[in-house]
Amino acid sequence: MNTSSPGPARNNRKAPRCERHDALLHPEEQAELAARFPAGHQAQMAFLLAAYTRNASAVAALLGTRARTVHRYCRGWSMPPGPRLRRALRRRVLDLVCPRCLSDRAVEEARQAKRDARRAARRIPREQDGPHR
């Protein structure tokens, strides 16, 4: 799909697109992203709420809204979310669904685990020696 050309291909908002990884995604990864991306604001809000273990206040803090609003949108509130909330919701859901974002997150968690292990290994000799005077 040529996104630099004008017309329907450029303005197609139905296909989810990760801003950071859109150019890097292979066709099979794009298909996986499209299959896993929830359709509709209510489904996206419910997906995000489930991803954060039903913690509405955490989701509300991520989206910049109130927990009550999160619950309302999950239940199918008749008021549509505003453009700012729609963008924030879409960006957060894409971070949880995009295959490249998931692999980036796994790599970063592995690096953090290695850092923590090195720090713990450096602390052990100091604690065993006792106080130095």
Side-chain angles (χ1 to χ4, degrees):
M1 178 162 89
N2 187 1
T3 57
S4 62
S5 68
R10 183 182 180 96
N11 296 325
N12 185 3
R13 294 187 184 264
K14 297 293 180 190
R17 307 177 72 85
C18 180
E19 295 96 13
R20 293 184 294 169
H21 300 111
D22 189 41
L24 304 173
L25 289 176
H26 298 292
E28 60 272 0
E29 290 175 328
Q30 288 176 343
E32 177 187 346
L33 175 63
R36 293 180 61 197
F37 193 79
H41 304 299
Q42 182 180 359
Q44 290 173 11
M45 190 70 78
F47 175 81
L48 200 57
L49 193 59
Y52 284 93
T53 61
R54 311 293 301 167
N55 189 348
S57 53
V59 173
L62 286 173
L63 298 176
T65 187
R66 297 180 312 166
R68 185 174 180 178
T69 307
V70 170
H71 283 296
R72 285 178 177 173
Y73 283 125
C74 284
R75 287 188 217 122
W77 197 27
S78 61
M79 293 281 295
R84 184 192 58 77
L85 183 57
R86 282 195 309 263
R87 280 192 303 270
L89 180 62
R90 186 175 181 84
R91 186 173 45 250
R92 294 295 177 173
V93 171
L94 274 171
D95 283 346
L96 294 174
V97 174
C98 176
R100 294 285 174 115
C101 289
L102 291 174
S103 65
D104 289 352
R105 189 175 300 117
V107 167
E108 186 57 37
E109 287 174 358
R111 285 182 187 156
Q112 186 63 37
K114 285 182 181 178
R115 280 187 215 125
D116 292 343
R118 284 195 308 262
R119 287 180 185 147
R122 283 189 299 218
R123 271 190 221 127
I124 290 173
R126 289 184 201 154
E127 292 171 358
Q128 289 175 352
D129 290 342
H132 293 284
R133 292 183 188 217

